[in-house]
Amino acid sequence: MSHVPHELHEEFPDAADALHTLKTTDAHFARLAEEYHTINREVHRIETDVTPASDEVLEDLKKKRLHLKDQIAAMLAATANAGS
């Protein structure tokens, strides 16, 4: 399979350990990460013309992905601040 951009480990390269820890210890974070992953793959399929979709559908998915990324970033930041 081709490389899928915007994976969480690429979006947060300095937070690999925190991503792994939160995915395995926080059910809410794990659900957010899984939803992000699912939407990100769908965006990639649309952008590479594997799955047909309208521009509106693509934009809606990108907005959802960004919203999830913001939530994930906030949880990562809270974890980093708690560890300081």
Side-chain angles (χ1 to χ4, degrees), residues 6 8 11 32-40 65 68:
H6 301 288
L8 287 175
E11 296 294 317
L32 290 176
E34 182 60 31
E35 187 176 354
Y36 178 93
H37 177 73
T38 300
I39 290 173
N40 190 49
R65 180 177 66 184
L68 288 165

Side-chain angles (χ1 to χ4, degrees), residues 1-2 4 8 17 22 33 38 46 54-55 58 70 72 75 80:
M1 178 168 211
S2 66
V4 179
L8 287 175
D17 290 340
L22 284 169
T38 300
I46 293 168
S54 68
D55 290 344
L58 179 58
D70 288 345
I72 290 166
M75 291 181 79

Side-chain angles (χ1 to χ4, degrees), residues 10-32:
E10 293 175 346
E11 296 294 317
F12 304 103
D14 297 332
D17 290 340
L19 281 168
H20 176 73
T21 300
L22 284 169
K23 282 181 190 177
T24 58
T25 62
D26 187 313
H28 177 67
F29 186 89
R31 281 191 300 277
L32 290 176

